[in-house]
Coordinates of all heavy atoms in Angstrom, one line a residue:
S51 N 17.4 -7.9 -3.9 CA 16.0 -7.7 -4.2 C 15.1 -8.7 -3.5 O 15.5 -9.8 -3.3 CB 15.8 -7.9 -5.7 OG 16.5 -6.9 -6.5
I52 N 14.0 -8.2 -3.1 CA 12.9 -9.1 -2.7 C 11.9 -9.0 -3.8 O 11.3 -8.0 -4.1 CB 12.2 -8.7 -1.4 CG1 13.3 -8.9 -0.2 CG2 11.0 -9.6 -1.1 CD1 12.7 -8.5 1.2
D53 N 11.7 -10.2 -4.5 CA 10.9 -10.2 -5.7 C 10.3 -11.7 -5.8 O 10.5 -12.5 -4.9 CB 11.6 -9.8 -7.0 CG 12.9 -10.6 -7.1 OD1 13.0 -11.7 -6.6 OD2 13.8 -10.1 -7.8
D54 N 9.6 -12.0 -6.9 CA 9.1 -13.3 -7.1 C 10.1 -14.4 -6.9 O 9.8 -15.5 -6.4 CB 8.4 -13.4 -8.4 CG 7.0 -12.7 -8.4 OD1 6.3 -12.7 -7.4 OD2 6.7 -12.2 -9.5
Q55 N 11.3 -14.1 -7.3 CA 12.4 -15.1 -7.2 C 12.8 -15.4 -5.7 O 13.2 -16.5 -5.4 CB 13.7 -14.6 -7.9 CG 14.7 -15.6 -8.2 CD 15.9 -15.1 -9.0 OE1 16.3 -13.9 -8.8 NE2 16.4 -15.9 -9.8
T56 N 12.5 -14.5 -4.9 CA 12.7 -14.7 -3.4 C 12.0 -15.9 -2.9 O 12.5 -16.7 -2.1 CB 12.2 -13.4 -2.6 OG1 13.0 -12.3 -3.1 CG2 12.4 -13.6 -1.1
L57 N 10.8 -16.2 -3.5 CA 9.9 -17.3 -3.1 C 10.5 -18.6 -3.5 O 9.9 -19.7 -3.2 CB 8.5 -17.1 -3.6 CG 7.8 -15.8 -3.1 CD1 6.4 -15.7 -3.7 CD2 7.8 -15.7 -1.6
Q58 N 11.6 -18.6 -4.3 CA 12.2 -19.9 -4.7 C 13.3 -20.4 -3.8 O 13.9 -21.3 -4.0 CB 12.8 -19.6 -6.1 CG 11.9 -19.2 -7.2 CD 10.7 -20.1 -7.4 OE1 10.9 -21.3 -7.5 NE2 9.5 -19.6 -7.4
G59 N 13.4 -19.7 -2.6 CA 14.3 -20.2 -1.6 C 15.4 -19.2 -1.1 O 16.3 -19.6 -0.4
K60 N 15.3 -17.9 -1.4 CA 16.2 -16.9 -0.9 C 16.1 -16.8 0.6 O 15.0 -17.1 1.2 CB 16.0 -15.5 -1.5 CG 16.4 -15.4 -2.9 CD 16.2 -13.9 -3.4 CE 16.6 -13.6 -4.8 NZ 16.3 -12.2 -5.1
G61 N 17.1 -16.4 1.3 CA 17.1 -16.3 2.7 C 15.9 -15.5 3.3 O 15.3 -16.0 4.3
P62 N 15.5 -14.4 2.8 CA 14.4 -13.7 3.4 C 13.1 -14.5 3.4 O 12.3 -14.4 4.3 CB 14.3 -12.4 2.5 CG 15.6 -12.2 2.0 CD 16.2 -13.6 1.8
F63 N 12.9 -15.3 2.3 CA 11.8 -16.2 2.3 C 11.8 -17.2 3.4 O 10.8 -17.4 4.1 CB 11.7 -16.9 0.9 CG 10.6 -18.0 0.9 CD1 9.3 -17.6 1.0 CD2 11.0 -19.3 0.8 CE1 8.3 -18.6 1.0 CE2 10.0 -20.3 0.8 CZ 8.7 -20.0 0.9
G64 N 12.9 -17.8 3.7 CA 13.1 -18.8 4.7 C 12.7 -18.2 6.1 O 12.0 -18.7 6.9
V65 N 13.2 -17.0 6.3 CA 12.9 -16.3 7.6 C 11.4 -15.9 7.7 O 10.8 -16.2 8.7 CB 13.8 -15.0 7.8 CG1 13.4 -14.2 9.0 CG2 15.3 -15.4 7.8
A66 N 10.9 -15.4 6.6 CA 9.5 -14.9 6.6 C 8.6 -16.1 6.7 O 7.6 -16.1 7.5 CB 9.2 -14.2 5.3
S67 N 8.9 -17.2 6.1 CA 8.1 -18.4 6.1 C 8.0 -19.0 7.5 O 7.0 -19.3 8.0 CB 8.6 -19.5 5.1 OG 7.9 -20.6 5.2
R68 N 9.2 -19.0 8.2 CA 9.2 -19.5 9.5 C 8.5 -18.6 10.5 O 7.7 -19.1 11.4 CB 10.7 -19.6 10.0 CG 10.9 -20.2 11.3 CD 10.9 -21.7 11.2 NE 11.4 -22.3 12.4 CZ 10.8 -23.3 13.0 NH1 9.8 -23.9 12.4 NH2 11.3 -23.8 14.2
A69 N 8.6 -17.3 10.3 CA 7.9 -16.3 11.2 C 6.4 -16.5 11.0 O 5.6 -16.5 12.0 CB 8.3 -14.9 10.8
K70 N 5.9 -16.7 9.8 CA 4.5 -16.9 9.6 C 4.0 -18.2 10.2 O 2.8 -18.2 10.6 CB 4.2 -16.9 8.1 CG 4.3 -15.5 7.5 CD 3.4 -14.6 8.2 CE 3.6 -13.1 7.7 NZ 2.8 -12.2 8.5
Q71 N 4.8 -19.2 10.3 CA 4.4 -20.5 11.0 C 4.0 -20.2 12.5 O 3.2 -20.9 13.1 CB 5.5 -21.5 11.0 CG 5.7 -22.1 9.6 CD 6.9 -23.0 9.6 OE1 7.6 -23.3 10.6 NE2 7.2 -23.6 8.4
F72 N 4.6 -19.1 13.0 CA 4.4 -18.7 14.4 C 3.5 -17.5 14.5 O 3.3 -17.0 15.6 CB 5.7 -18.5 15.1 CG 6.5 -19.7 15.3 CD1 7.6 -20.0 14.4 CD2 6.3 -20.6 16.4 CE1 8.3 -21.2 14.6 CE2 7.1 -21.7 16.6 CZ 8.1 -22.0 15.7
G73 N 2.9 -17.1 13.4 CA 1.9 -16.0 13.4 C 2.6 -14.6 13.7 O 1.9 -13.7 14.1
L74 N 3.9 -14.5 13.3 CA 4.6 -13.3 13.6 C 4.6 -12.4 12.3 O 4.6 -12.9 11.2 CB 6.1 -13.6 13.9 CG 6.3 -14.4 15.2 CD1 7.8 -14.8 15.3 CD2 5.8 -13.6 16.4
P75 N 4.5 -11.1 12.5 CA 4.5 -10.1 11.4 C 5.9 -10.0 10.8 O 6.9 -10.2 11.5 CB 4.1 -8.8 12.0 CG 4.4 -8.9 13.5 CD 4.3 -10.4 13.8
V76 N 6.0 -9.7 9.5 CA 7.3 -9.7 8.9 C 7.4 -8.4 8.1 O 6.5 -8.1 7.2 CB 7.5 -10.9 7.9 CG1 8.8 -10.8 7.2 CG2 7.4 -12.2 8.7
I77 N 8.5 -7.6 8.3 CA 8.8 -6.5 7.4 C 10.0 -6.9 6.6 O 11.0 -7.3 7.2 CB 9.1 -5.2 8.3 CG1 8.0 -4.8 9.1 CG2 9.6 -4.1 7.4 CD1 8.3 -3.7 10.1
G78 N 9.9 -6.9 5.3 CA 11.0 -7.2 4.5 C 11.7 -5.9 3.9 O 11.0 -5.0 3.5
I79 N 13.0 -5.8 4.1 CA 13.7 -4.7 3.6 C 14.8 -5.2 2.6 O 15.4 -6.2 2.9 CB 14.3 -3.7 4.7 CG1 15.3 -4.5 5.6 CG2 13.2 -3.1 5.5 CD1 16.0 -3.5 6.5
A80 N 15.0 -4.4 1.6 CA 16.0 -4.8 0.6 C 16.4 -3.6 -0.2 O 15.7 -2.6 -0.1 CB 15.5 -5.9 -0.3
G81 N 17.4 -3.8 -1.1 CA 17.8 -2.7 -1.9 C 16.7 -2.4 -3.0 O 16.6 -1.3 -3.5
K82 N 16.0 -3.4 -3.3 CA 14.9 -3.3 -4.4 C 13.8 -4.2 -4.0 O 13.9 -5.3 -3.7 CB 15.5 -3.7 -5.7 CG 14.6 -3.6 -6.9 CD 15.4 -4.0 -8.2 CE 14.4 -4.0 -9.4 NZ 15.1 -4.5 -10.5
V83 N 12.6 -3.6 -4.1 CA 11.3 -4.3 -3.8 C 10.3 -3.9 -5.0 O 10.5 -2.9 -5.6 CB 10.7 -4.0 -2.5 CG1 11.6 -4.5 -1.3 CG2 10.3 -2.6 -2.3
P84 N 9.3 -4.7 -5.2 CA 8.3 -4.4 -6.2 C 7.6 -3.0 -5.9 O 7.4 -2.7 -4.8 CB 7.3 -5.5 -6.1 CG 8.0 -6.7 -5.5 CD 9.0 -6.0 -4.5
V85 N 7.3 -2.3 -7.0 CA 6.7 -1.0 -6.8 C 5.2 -1.2 -6.4 O 4.7 -0.5 -5.5 CB 6.8 -0.2 -8.1 CG1 6.0 1.1 -8.0 CG2 8.2 0.1 -8.4
G86 N 4.5 -2.1 -7.1 CA 3.1 -2.4 -6.8 C 3.0 -3.5 -5.8 O 3.9 -4.2 -5.4
K87 N 1.7 -3.8 -5.4 CA 1.4 -4.8 -4.5 C 1.6 -6.2 -5.2 O 1.1 -6.4 -6.3 CB 0.0 -4.7 -4.0 CG -0.3 -5.6 -2.8 CD -1.7 -5.3 -2.2 CE -1.9 -6.2 -1.0 NZ -3.2 -5.8 -0.3
N88 N 2.3 -7.1 -4.5 CA 2.6 -8.4 -5.1 C 1.9 -9.4 -4.2 O 2.4 -9.7 -3.0 CB 4.1 -8.6 -5.2 CG 4.5 -10.0 -5.8 OD1 4.0 -11.0 -5.3 ND2 5.3 -10.0 -6.7
E89 N 0.8 -10.0 -4.6 CA 0.1 -10.9 -3.8 C 0.9 -12.1 -3.3 O 0.7 -12.5 -2.1 CB -1.2 -11.4 -4.5 CG -2.2 -10.3 -4.8 CD -2.8 -9.6 -3.6 OE1 -2.9 -10.3 -2.5 OE2 -3.1 -8.4 -3.7
S90 N 1.7 -12.6 -4.1 CA 2.5 -13.8 -3.7 C 3.5 -13.5 -2.6 O 3.6 -14.2 -1.6 CB 3.4 -14.3 -4.9 OG 2.5 -14.7 -5.9
L91 N 4.1 -12.3 -2.6 CA 5.0 -11.9 -1.6 C 4.3 -11.5 -0.3 O 4.7 -11.7 0.8 CB 5.9 -10.7 -2.1 CG 6.9 -11.1 -3.1 CD1 7.6 -9.8 -3.7 CD2 8.0 -12.0 -2.6
M92 N 3.1 -10.9 -0.5 CA 2.3 -10.4 0.7 C 1.8 -11.6 1.5 O 1.4 -11.4 2.7 CB 1.2 -9.5 0.3 CG 1.7 -8.2 -0.5 SD 3.1 -7.4 0.3 CE 2.3 -6.7 1.7
K93 N 1.9 -12.8 1.0 CA 1.5 -14.0 1.9 C 2.6 -14.2 3.0 O 2.3 -14.8 4.0 CB 1.4 -15.2 1.0 CG 0.2 -15.2 0.1 CD 0.3 -16.5 -0.8 CE -0.8 -16.4 -1.8 NZ -0.7 -17.6 -2.8
Y94 N 3.8 -13.7 2.7 CA 4.9 -13.9 3.7 C 5.4 -12.6 4.3 O 5.9 -12.6 5.4 CB 6.0 -14.6 3.0 CG 5.6 -15.9 2.4 CD1 5.2 -16.1 1.1 CD2 5.6 -17.1 3.3 CE1 4.8 -17.3 0.6 CE2 5.2 -18.3 2.8 CZ 4.8 -18.4 1.5 OH 4.4 -19.7 1.0
F95 N 5.2 -11.5 3.6 CA 5.8 -10.2 4.1 C 4.6 -9.2 4.3 O 3.8 -9.0 3.4 CB 6.7 -9.6 3.1 CG 7.9 -10.4 2.8 CD1 8.0 -11.3 1.8 CD2 9.1 -10.3 3.6 CE1 9.1 -12.1 1.5 CE2 10.2 -11.1 3.4 CZ 10.2 -12.0 2.4
D96 N 4.4 -8.7 5.5 CA 3.4 -7.8 5.8 C 3.7 -6.4 5.2 O 2.8 -5.7 4.8 CB 3.2 -7.6 7.3 CG 2.7 -8.9 7.9 OD1 1.5 -9.2 7.8 OD2 3.6 -9.7 8.5
V97 N 5.0 -6.1 5.2 CA 5.4 -4.8 4.6 C 6.7 -5.1 3.9 O 7.6 -5.8 4.4 CB 5.7 -3.8 5.8 CG1 6.2 -2.5 5.2 CG2 4.4 -3.5 6.6
L98 N 6.9 -4.4 2.7 CA 8.1 -4.5 2.0 C 8.6 -3.0 1.8 O 7.8 -2.2 1.4 CB 7.9 -5.1 0.6 CG 7.7 -6.6 0.5 CD1 7.3 -7.1 -0.9 CD2 8.9 -7.4 1.1
M99 N 9.9 -2.8 2.1 CA 10.5 -1.5 2.0 C 11.8 -1.6 1.3 O 12.6 -2.4 1.7 CB 10.6 -0.8 3.3 CG 9.3 -0.5 4.0 SD 9.5 0.4 5.6 CE 10.0 2.0 5.0
S100 N 12.1 -0.6 0.4 CA 13.4 -0.5 -0.2 C 14.2 0.4 0.7 O 13.7 1.4 1.3 CB 13.3 0.1 -1.6 OG 14.6 0.4 -2.0
I101 N 15.5 0.1 0.9 CA 16.4 1.0 1.7 C 16.8 2.2 0.8 O 17.4 3.1 1.4 CB 17.6 0.2 2.3 CG1 18.6 -0.3 1.2 CG2 17.2 -0.9 3.2 CD1 19.9 -0.7 1.7
N102 N 16.6 2.1 -0.5 CA 17.0 3.2 -1.4 C 15.9 4.2 -1.6 O 14.8 3.7 -2.1 CB 17.6 2.6 -2.7 CG 18.8 1.8 -2.5 OD1 19.7 2.2 -1.9 ND2 18.7 0.5 -3.0
E103 N 16.1 5.4 -1.3 CA 15.1 6.4 -1.5 C 15.0 6.8 -3.0 O 14.0 7.4 -3.4 CB 15.4 7.7 -0.7 CG 15.4 7.4 0.8 CD 14.1 7.8 1.5 OE1 13.4 8.7 0.9 OE2 13.7 7.3 2.5
E104 N 16.0 6.6 -3.7 CA 16.0 6.9 -5.2 C 16.9 5.9 -5.9 O 17.6 5.2 -5.3 CB 16.6 8.3 -5.4 CG 18.0 8.5 -4.8 CD 18.5 9.9 -4.8 OE1 18.2 10.6 -3.9 OE2 19.3 10.2 -5.7
P105 N 16.7 5.8 -7.2 CA 17.5 4.8 -8.0 C 19.0 5.2 -8.0 O 19.3 6.4 -8.1 CB 16.9 4.9 -9.4 CG 15.7 5.8 -9.3 CD 15.8 6.5 -8.0
F106 N 19.8 4.2 -7.7 CA 21.3 4.4 -7.8 C 21.9 3.3 -8.7 O 21.3 2.2 -8.8 CB 21.9 4.2 -6.4 CG 21.5 5.2 -5.3 CD1 20.7 4.8 -4.2 CD2 21.9 6.5 -5.4 CE1 20.4 5.7 -3.3 CE2 21.5 7.4 -4.4 CZ 20.8 7.0 -3.4
N107 N 23.1 3.6 -9.2 CA 23.8 2.5 -9.8 C 24.3 1.6 -8.7 O 24.3 2.0 -7.5 CB 24.9 3.0 -10.7 CG 26.0 3.8 -10.0 OD1 26.4 3.5 -8.9 ND2 26.4 4.9 -10.6
L108 N 24.7 0.4 -9.0 CA 25.1 -0.5 -8.0 C 26.3 0.0 -7.1 O 26.2 -0.2 -5.9 CB 25.5 -1.9 -8.6 CG 25.9 -3.0 -7.7 CD1 24.8 -3.3 -6.7 CD2 26.3 -4.2 -8.4
E109 N 27.3 0.6 -7.7 CA 28.4 1.1 -6.9 C 28.0 2.1 -5.9 O 28.3 2.0 -4.7 CB 29.4 1.7 -7.8 CG 30.7 2.2 -7.1 CD 31.7 2.8 -8.1 OE1 31.6 2.7 -9.3 OE2 32.7 3.4 -7.6
T110 N 27.1 3.1 -6.3 CA 26.6 4.1 -5.3 C 25.7 3.4 -4.3 O 25.8 3.8 -3.1 CB 25.8 5.2 -6.1 OG1 26.7 5.7 -7.1 CG2 25.3 6.2 -5.2
A111 N 24.9 2.5 -4.7 CA 24.0 1.9 -3.7 C 24.8 1.1 -2.7 O 24.5 1.2 -1.5 CB 23.1 0.9 -4.4
L112 N 25.8 0.4 -3.1 CA 26.7 -0.3 -2.1 C 27.4 0.7 -1.1 O 27.5 0.4 0.0 CB 27.7 -1.2 -2.8 CG 27.1 -2.4 -3.6 CD1 28.2 -3.1 -4.4 CD2 26.4 -3.4 -2.6
M113 N 27.9 1.8 -1.7 CA 28.5 2.8 -0.8 C 27.6 3.4 0.2 O 28.0 3.7 1.3 CB 29.1 3.9 -1.6 CG 30.4 3.5 -2.4 SD 31.2 4.8 -3.4 CE 30.3 6.2 -3.1
K114 N 26.3 3.4 -0.1 CA 25.3 4.1 0.8 C 24.5 3.0 1.7 O 23.6 3.4 2.4 CB 24.3 4.9 0.0 CG 24.9 6.1 -0.7 CD 23.9 6.8 -1.5 CE 24.4 8.1 -2.0 NZ 23.8 9.2 -1.4
T115 N 24.9 1.8 1.6 CA 24.1 0.7 2.3 C 24.0 1.0 3.7 O 22.9 0.9 4.3 CB 24.8 -0.7 2.0 OG1 24.7 -1.0 0.6 CG2 24.0 -1.7 2.8
E116 N 25.1 1.3 4.4 CA 25.0 1.4 5.9 C 24.1 2.6 6.3 O 23.1 2.4 7.1 CB 26.4 1.7 6.5 CG 26.3 1.8 8.0 CD 27.7 2.0 8.7 OE1 28.7 2.0 8.0 OE2 27.7 2.1 9.9
S117 N 24.3 3.7 5.7 CA 23.4 4.9 6.0 C 22.0 4.7 5.6 O 21.0 5.1 6.3 CB 24.0 6.2 5.4 OG 24.0 6.1 4.0
N118 N 21.7 4.0 4.5 CA 20.4 3.7 4.0 C 19.7 2.7 5.0 O 18.5 2.8 5.2 CB 20.4 3.1 2.6 CG 20.6 4.2 1.6 OD1 20.5 5.4 1.9 ND2 20.9 3.8 0.4
L119 N 20.4 1.7 5.5 CA 19.8 0.8 6.5 C 19.5 1.5 7.8 O 18.4 1.2 8.3 CB 20.8 -0.4 6.8 CG 20.9 -1.5 5.7 CD1 22.1 -2.4 6.0 CD2 19.6 -2.2 5.7
V120 N 20.3 2.4 8.2 CA 20.0 3.1 9.4 C 18.8 4.0 9.2 O 17.9 4.0 10.1 CB 21.2 4.0 9.9 CG1 20.9 5.0 11.0 CG2 22.4 3.1 10.3
A121 N 18.7 4.7 8.1 CA 17.6 5.6 7.8 C 16.3 4.8 7.7 O 15.3 5.2 8.2 CB 17.9 6.4 6.5
T122 N 16.4 3.7 7.0 CA 15.2 2.8 6.8 C 14.7 2.3 8.2 O 13.5 2.2 8.5 CB 15.4 1.7 5.8 OG1 15.8 2.3 4.6 CG2 14.2 0.9 5.6
S123 N 15.6 1.8 9.0 CA 15.3 1.2 10.3 C 14.6 2.3 11.2 O 13.6 2.1 11.9 CB 16.5 0.7 11.0 OG 17.1 -0.4 10.2
T124 N 15.2 3.5 11.1 CA 14.6 4.6 11.9 C 13.2 4.9 11.4 O 12.3 5.1 12.2 CB 15.5 5.9 11.8 OG1 16.8 5.5 12.3 CG2 14.9 7.0 12.5
K125 N 13.0 4.9 10.1 CA 11.7 5.2 9.5 C 10.7 4.1 9.9 O 9.6 4.5 10.2 CB 11.8 5.2 7.9 CG 10.5 5.6 7.3 CD 10.6 5.5 5.7 CE 11.7 6.3 5.1 NZ 11.7 6.3 3.7
I126 N 11.1 2.9 9.9 CA 10.2 1.8 10.3 C 9.8 2.0 11.7 O 8.6 1.9 12.1 CB 10.9 0.4 10.0 CG1 10.9 0.1 8.5 CG2 10.1 -0.7 10.8 CD1 11.8 -1.1 8.2
G127 N 10.8 2.2 12.6 CA 10.4 2.5 14.0 C 9.5 3.6 14.2 O 8.5 3.5 15.0
D128 N 9.7 4.7 13.5 CA 8.8 5.9 13.6 C 7.4 5.5 13.1 O 6.4 5.9 13.7 CB 9.4 7.0 12.8 CG 10.6 7.7 13.4 OD1 10.9 7.4 14.6 OD2 11.3 8.4 12.7
M129 N 7.3 4.8 12.0 CA 6.0 4.4 11.4 C 5.3 3.5 12.4 O 4.0 3.6 12.5 CB 6.2 3.8 10.1 CG 6.7 4.8 9.0 SD 7.2 3.9 7.5 CE 5.5 3.7 6.8
I130 N 5.9 2.6 13.0 CA 5.3 1.7 14.0 C 4.8 2.5 15.2 O 3.7 2.4 15.6 CB 6.2 0.6 14.4 CG1 6.5 -0.4 13.2 CG2 5.7 -0.2 15.6 CD1 7.6 -1.4 13.5
A131 N 5.7 3.4 15.7 CA 5.3 4.2 16.8 C 4.1 5.1 16.6 O 3.2 5.3 17.4 CB 6.5 5.1 17.3
K132 N 4.0 5.6 15.3 CA 2.9 6.5 14.9 C 1.6 5.7 14.5 O 0.6 6.3 14.2 CB 3.3 7.4 13.8 CG 4.3 8.4 14.1 CD 4.7 9.2 12.9 CE 5.9 10.1 13.1 NZ 6.3 10.8 11.9
G133 N 1.7 4.4 14.5 CA 0.6 3.6 14.0 C 0.4 3.5 12.5 O -0.6 3.1 12.1
E134 N 1.4 4.0 11.8 CA 1.3 4.0 10.3 C 1.6 2.6 9.8 O 1.1 2.3 8.6 CB 2.3 4.9 9.7 CG 2.0 6.4 10.1 CD 3.0 7.4 9.6 OE1 4.1 7.0 9.1 OE2 2.8 8.6 9.9
I135 N 2.2 1.7 10.5 CA 2.4 0.3 10.1 C 1.7 -0.4 11.3 O 2.1 -0.3 12.4 CB 3.9 -0.1 10.1 CG1 4.6 0.5 8.9 CG2 3.9 -1.6 9.9 CD1 6.1 0.2 8.8
V136 N 0.6 -1.2 10.9 CA -0.1 -1.9 11.9 C -0.1 -3.3 11.4 O -0.4 -3.6 10.3 CB -1.6 -1.4 12.0 CG1 -2.4 -2.2 13.0 CG2 -1.5 0.1 12.4
F137 N 0.2 -4.2 12.3 CA 0.2 -5.6 12.0 C -1.1 -6.3 12.5 O -1.5 -6.0 13.6 CB 1.3 -6.4 12.7 CG 2.7 -5.8 12.2 CD1 3.4 -5.0 13.0 CD2 3.1 -6.2 10.9 CE1 4.7 -4.6 12.5 CE2 4.3 -5.7 10.5 CZ 5.1 -4.9 11.3
S138 N -1.8 -7.0 11.6 CA -3.0 -7.7 12.0 C -2.7 -9.2 12.0 O -1.9 -9.7 11.3 CB -4.1 -7.4 11.1 OG -3.8 -7.8 9.8
K139 N -3.4 -9.9 12.9 CA -3.2 -11.4 12.9 C -4.3 -12.1 12.2 O -5.4 -11.6 12.1 CB -3.1 -11.9 14.4 CG -1.8 -11.6 15.0 CD -1.6 -12.4 16.2 CE -0.1 -12.4 16.6 NZ 0.2 -13.4 17.5

């Protein structure tokens, strides 16, 4: 999950924090992200996306991780190419 607890020192926070020091945009992907806009997280992550299109139990989610990561990465690339994700400095 990327959530408020992430800002307490989880790996994605460290990467996002470092990227922001250099003015780089950050897309955070995880199995679970907040449904609504989270102002605290948005200071570090320009975009948050869940790799899961629907709720799964943990066992099913783990079995689908690889295909979900591929699908989400493809979706992000398509959205950037279409201008649906735009990064501002």
Side-chain angles (χ1 to χ4, degrees):
S51 293
I52 294 179
D53 52 24
D54 285 323
Q55 193 177 37
T56 300
L57 301 178
Q58 303 302 313
K60 286 185 180 178
F63 170 69
V65 173
S67 179
R68 186 82 169 139
K70 289 301 172 185
Q71 289 176 359
F72 291 96
L74 299 172
V76 178
I77 299 174
I79 60 172
K82 183 178 173 187
V83 298
V85 175
K87 189 171 184 175
N88 181 309
E89 295 296 330
S90 298
L91 291 171
M92 298 315 288
K93 291 177 186 174
Y94 300 95
F95 299 93
D96 296 280
V97 177
L98 289 174
M99 293 182 73
S100 173
I101 66 167
N102 297 307
E103 298 259 336
E104 56 189 82
F106 295 114
N107 62 41
L108 181 58
E109 183 179 349
T110 302
L112 291 173
M113 286 181 2
K114 293 180 171 250
T115 298
E116 182 178 359
S117 62
N118 287 344
L119 281 170
V120 169
T122 301
S123 300
T124 300
K125 184 186 301 183
I126 290 170
D128 291 345
M129 292 172 77
I130 291 170
K132 292 177 186 175
E134 295 172 358
I135 294 178
V136 178
F137 298 105
S138 59
K139 283 199 164 194

